[in-house]
Amino acid sequence: HYRSQYEFIAFFEKGKRKLYDLGVPDVLSAKRIRGGYATEKPVSLLEVLVLQSSSEGELVLDPFMGSGSTGEAAVKNHRRFHGIDVQEKSIELAMSRLEVVVHAND
């Protein structure tokens, strides 16, 4: 068996929105996070998506937030964030993570 070296990201938007930097490729590379939350994505990867598709003050929604990486990317870049998850453990982890980021931004 070969280990997958890629993962698809579903990216949704409301209405017609232009990306901010057309030079960003449609295939993004990032190192895998080891030992963290099972499906955690690197904040640096999510920052590319957040910065490409939103302006300061806008809302970023992650309906499967897991550990809160997308929320961290959004808050660090002055966006509002709403995250949803069905696992209580995920919600607690994301809330404590985002609390640290919010205080660091103050």
Side-chain angles (χ1 to χ4, degrees):
H1 293 264
Y2 294 100
R3 184 174 61 90
S4 294
Q5 294 187 355
Y6 63 89
E7 183 175 344
F8 291 105
I9 296 173
F11 185 82
F12 299 95
E13 59 186 312
K14 181 178 179 180
K16 192 83 169 155
R17 179 182 294 274
K18 293 181 181 174
L19 298 176
Y20 288 103
D21 180 359
L22 297 178
V24 174
D26 60 355
V27 176
L28 303 171
S29 261
K31 289 208 178 256
R32 180 180 295 229
I33 294 178
R34 300 197 183 277
Y37 189 81
T39 56
E40 188 171 352
K41 311 296 180 281
V43 174
S44 60
L45 172 69
L46 297 166
E47 281 185 305
V48 171
L49 300 176
V50 166
L51 292 171
Q52 271 289 85
S53 61
S54 66
S55 298
E56 286 190 15
E58 288 187 328
L59 176 65
V60 173
L61 170 69
D62 185 353
F64 310 99
M65 80 173 157
S67 67
S69 299
T70 302
E72 181 176 338
V75 172
K76 281 175 61 176
N77 290 284
H78 311 287
R79 274 68 172 169
R80 294 177 299 123
F81 176 73
H82 284 251
I84 303 166
D85 207 291
V86 296
Q87 293 187 26
E88 189 67 33
K89 175 186 171 192
S90 298
I91 294 168
E92 291 170 4
L93 178 61
M95 287 178 66
S96 63
R97 178 181 195 159
L98 292 174
E99 194 173 298
V100 170
V101 175
V102 166
H103 290 302
N105 271 3
D106 288 342

